[in-house]
Amino acid sequence: MLQHQVKNHGIPEMKINSMLGTAREFFHLPDEERLKFRSTDPNSVIRLVTGFQDKTRNIFVSRQSLKFHSHPVEEYKSQWPSNPPSFRENVGEYCASVREVEVAILEAISESLGLERDYIDKILKGHYVSINYYPACQESELDVTYGVRTHTDPTIITILMQDDVPGLQVINDDKWINVNPLPNAVVVHVGDILQALSNYRYKSLLHQAIVNCEKERVSIASYCYPSDDAMIGPAKKLVGKDHPAIYKDFTYREFHESMWRVKCSTAKRLDLFKARAD
C-alpha cells in the first residue's frame, strides 16, 4: 500500500465542507492579515509558508501553506488564527474527527503486519496540519510552476482531504498519474516512518502537486508522527532470517534533525539509518 482513497471514514460531510470553506476564507484574507503568521522557523507552533522560486530547477513553487500543531486541540487552539471568526471552531472539530480516523487506520495497519493492534498507537505523539492553497496559474507560466515539488512525507501516515480540483500526482511504474478527488474521500499516504517500522513492507509514497490556469485548489494534510524519543526501526516480529532488518533502530528526534541537516525531500533520507550488512 502506497496510497488509497478512503470513504465511509466517519468524518461528517458538514465538517469537511466547513473545513475546506474556512481554508479558502483564510487564504482570501488581505496579505497583512495572513502574513502575521509567516515564519521560517520549522519548529514554530504555527507558521505560514508562501510560494518561492527554486533557482536550482528554475521553477516557481506556488503553494501557500498554514502549518500548525493540532493535538490535543485545546492545547493549541488559542494560537490559531482568530480570523476568519469560524477558524478555531471549524478546524478544531475537523482535526478531532481526523484524529479518530488516523488511530483506526494505524490499528488496521498494525494488524495487517501481524503486530499488536496498538503497536503504532503506543508511539504516537502529535498531529500536525498543513492547510494548503494553490492559486490558479497564468497559462504562460504553467510549464515553470509547480504546486509542490516531488517528495515523500516524513510521517507515519498522512491523511489528505482535497477539494474537487485535481492536482495531486503519484508515481506509478515510473509515470506520474493523477489522483482525481472522490467526493468526501480522504487520501492516505504511507510516510517514511512507516516504511522503516514495517521493514519496507509499506513503502513511502512519492508524490507531487501540479497547478492549473483555471481554478484555485485547496487541500488539508494531516500528518501523523511519533514522539521525539520513540524508537523507530523494524518491529522485531518483522525481522528474521528471510527478512533481515533494513534499518537500524533510531529515535524520531534523530530522524527529524537529520532531515533538516541533509535537506533531502524523499525517503532517501532513511538511507542514513540503514542497517549494516554483517
Side-chain angles (χ1 to χ4, degrees), residues 1-4 104-115 119-120 152-153 155-158 188-206 232-235 238 243 246-247 267 270:
M1 169 183 152
L2 302 179
Q3 163 269 323
H4 283 301
I105 290 173
L106 292 177
E107 288 177 347
I109 289 173
S110 292
E111 289 188 327
S112 76
L113 292 167
L115 305 172
Y119 183 89
I120 299 177
T152 61
D153 292 342
T155 60
I156 304 175
I157 59 171
T158 300
V188 181
H189 294 180
V190 170
D192 298 343
I193 299 302
L194 182 54
Q195 177 172 311
L197 283 171
S198 67
N199 206 26
Y200 213 68
R201 283 154 170 88
Y202 284 85
K203 185 179 178 182
S204 193
L205 177 71
L206 193 65
I232 310 300
L238 304 180
H243 298 283
I246 296 174
Y247 303 102
L270 284 171

Side-chain angles (χ1 to χ4, degrees), residues 83-150:
N83 194 14
S86 61
F87 190 98
R88 293 178 181 177
E89 180 180 355
N90 290 345
V91 173
E93 289 182 356
Y94 177 82
C95 289
S97 293
V98 169
R99 182 69 173 187
E100 294 178 7
V101 175
E102 178 181 273
V103 170
I105 290 173
L106 292 177
E107 288 177 347
I109 289 173
S110 292
E111 289 188 327
S112 76
L113 292 167
L115 305 172
E116 296 80 5
R117 186 175 177 82
D118 64 349
Y119 183 89
I120 299 177
D121 291 356
K122 286 188 287 191
I123 68 168
L124 276 183
K125 179 191 177 184
H127 190 95
Y128 193 71
V129 172
S130 178
I131 300 178
N132 306 313
Y133 176 74
Y134 303 88
C137 173
Q138 292 185 13
E139 189 170 2
S140 61
E141 298 177 355
L142 200 56
D143 290 341
V144 291
T145 304
Y146 272 72
V148 177
R149 296 167 296 179
T150 303

Side-chain angles (χ1 to χ4, degrees), residues 49-110:
V49 180
T50 54
F52 63 93
Q53 189 74 32
D54 182 339
K55 295 180 180 178
T56 304
R57 297 177 58 188
N58 196 29
I59 60 171
F60 181 70
V61 180
S62 68
R63 181 179 73 170
Q64 302 174 37
S65 300
L66 183 68
K67 302 174 181 289
F68 51 91
H69 291 276
S70 62
H71 181 78
V73 167
E74 294 307 320
E75 182 175 328
Y76 295 107
K77 197 174 185 177
S78 64
Q79 300 176 69
W80 299 348
S82 56
N83 194 14
S86 61
F87 190 98
R88 293 178 181 177
E89 180 180 355
N90 290 345
V91 173
E93 289 182 356
Y94 177 82
C95 289
S97 293
V98 169
R99 182 69 173 187
E100 294 178 7
V101 175
E102 178 181 273
V103 170
I105 290 173
L106 292 177
E107 288 177 347
I109 289 173
S110 292

